[in-house]
Amino acid sequence: MNIYQPYLMRIEEIIDETIDTRTLRLSFQDPKVADEFHFSAGQFGEYSVFGEGESTFCIASPPTRRGYIECSFKVCGKVTRALRRLDVGDTIGFRGPYGNRFPLDIMKGKSIVFIAGGIGLAPVRCVIWNVLDRRSEFKDVTVVYGARSVGDLVYKRELEEWSKRDDMRLVATVDPGGETPDWKGEVGFVPTVLQKAAPSPEDAYAIICGPPVMIKFTMPMLTDLGFPDDRIYTTLENRMKCGIGKCGRCNIGPVYVCKDGPVFTADQIKRLPPEF
Ligand code: FES
């Protein structure tokens, strides 16, 4: 089979997360493919609109939910504009799953702190649900999630659901000035709110994804809290095109984000060449 040949997917559901961010629930048109398809939290795919091109997004739904996958995207170019024009029942292409994964097996029995900013919650959400669907295998689960404003928060229905669960802790925040009169969460930048929430580093891993500025200021905060670099995981989405190590678009020095990543530890990121 041609490695660039996509699976055909039907759009089952469309959820508008924010004014410019949308989630698609997709099912495989071929029941045999649907049956055989497996992936792990952290992997990504190439989504195509016929005649328009492909775009890279993580798989935002967890592998524990079978029969469909979800992706979330912000409208920011030709392919995402074309994706936005599609309706329930329309067909798109999907290649994947590609890349490595978050090593949930080594996190078993440990606590996990998830930290995300903006649409960076998409890959993290996949792992959060994966962990919640296997809740008894993990210790404390903490989610710190921030966006610029209340209107920029994605997965609002799930944030609501997580805030009510007593087997996890959700700390949601918006940047100063981004709150609304009825906002009940925190107001402040993610690193500051994380410092205040002070999750214990004991027997714990951190998984973080968000805009570069958030990552830049959150990493030292995690270090201050006592998280070692090899227990901090993040995921990169670097200018990917082919997704399979052929086009050379995604490399940072000798590292191919699509093949060696997209999941890396803070330790590995610090060893990447300075252009990153
Ligand atoms: S995306 Fe083509 S080599 Fe990585």
Side-chain angles (χ1 to χ4, degrees):
M1 181 179 155
N2 177 350
I3 49 171
Y4 294 105
Q5 176 87 39
Y7 298 124
L8 298 180
M9 314 282 298
R10 178 183 190 272
I11 300 178
E12 297 292 344
E13 199 181 334
I14 295 175
I15 300 159
D16 280 320
E17 306 288 355
T18 70
I19 202 157
D20 59 0
T21 304
R22 178 168 270 193
T23 297
L24 302 180
R25 179 173 288 199
L26 307 165
S27 67
F28 293 92
Q29 290 188 353
D30 183 339
K32 187 166 174 286
V33 175
D35 216 43
E36 287 168 1
F37 182 82
H38 284 91
F39 71 99
S40 299
Q43 291 193 290
F44 67 94
E46 297 290 338
Y47 302 75
S48 50
V49 182
F50 304 110
E52 302 285 353
E54 286 185 320
S55 217
T56 311
F57 318 119
C58 69
I59 302 176
S61 54
T64 33
R65 314 272 169 104
R66 305 268 303 143
Y68 68 88
I69 58 168
E70 288 176 342
C71 67
S72 299
F73 63 92
K74 195 178 256 231
V75 177
C76 63
K78 186 175 164 222
V79 179
T80 47
R81 273 199 302 275
L83 267 179
R84 172 117 197 170
R85 286 195 293 271
L86 299 178
D87 279 321
V88 169
D90 286 345
T91 299
I92 69 167
F94 170 84
R95 293 193 288 122
Y98 298 137
N100 65 354
R101 58 201 172 93
F102 288 102
L104 277 188
D105 29 343
I106 64 166
M107 299 180 189
K108 270 194 196 169
K110 314 280 188 210
S111 297
I112 311 183
V113 181
F114 298 96
I115 305 151
I119 197 174
L121 185 57
V124 176
R125 173 211 194 216
C126 167
V127 203
I128 294 173
W129 277 122
N130 199 167
V131 165
L132 292 178
D133 287 345
R134 296 164 42 187
R135 185 64 190 88
S136 60
E137 296 174 43
F138 301 91
K139 264 169 81 179
D140 299 344
V141 173
T142 307
V143 176
V144 177
Y145 173 53
R148 264 188 319 209
S149 71
V150 173
D152 289 308
L153 295 163
V154 294
Y155 308 127
K156 289 192 185 66
R157 288 185 304 187
E158 285 152 79
L159 295 175
E160 180 79 28
E161 189 180 331
W162 295 341
S163 72
K164 291 188 185 130
R165 285 180 73 132
D166 54 12
D167 60 352
M168 66 178 289
R169 177 181 177 209
L170 171 70
V171 184
T173 186
V174 293
D175 291 356
E179 67 273 31
T180 51
D182 56 351
W183 171 244
K184 293 193 185 62
E186 302 281 330
V187 176
F189 296 107
V190 165
T192 319
V193 171
L194 171 70
Q195 184 185 36
K196 215 170 100 189
S200 167
E202 205 185 310
D203 250 3
Y205 284 85
I207 290 180
I208 171 170
C209 186
V213 63
M214 187 205 95
I215 305 264
K216 183 171 169 209
F217 290 104
T218 304
M219 290 284 199
M221 200 55 79
L222 282 169
T223 307
D224 283 356
L225 287 169
F227 286 82
D229 282 351
D230 61 354
R231 288 196 172 208
I232 304 173
Y233 284 83
T234 189
T235 173
L236 304 178
E237 253 186 38
N238 235 45
R239 311 179 294 264
M240 286 200 256
K241 189 165 163 59
C242 71
I244 47 176
K246 303 259 183 228
C247 72
R249 280 267 292 259
C250 67
N251 71 301
I252 307 170
V255 172
Y256 280 69
V257 174
C258 68
K259 269 192 9 190
D260 304 314
V263 174
F264 295 94
T265 61
D267 201 30
Q268 290 171 314
I269 299 240
K270 282 185 182 161
R271 281 186 271 121
L272 291 176
E275 80 240 23
F276 176 62

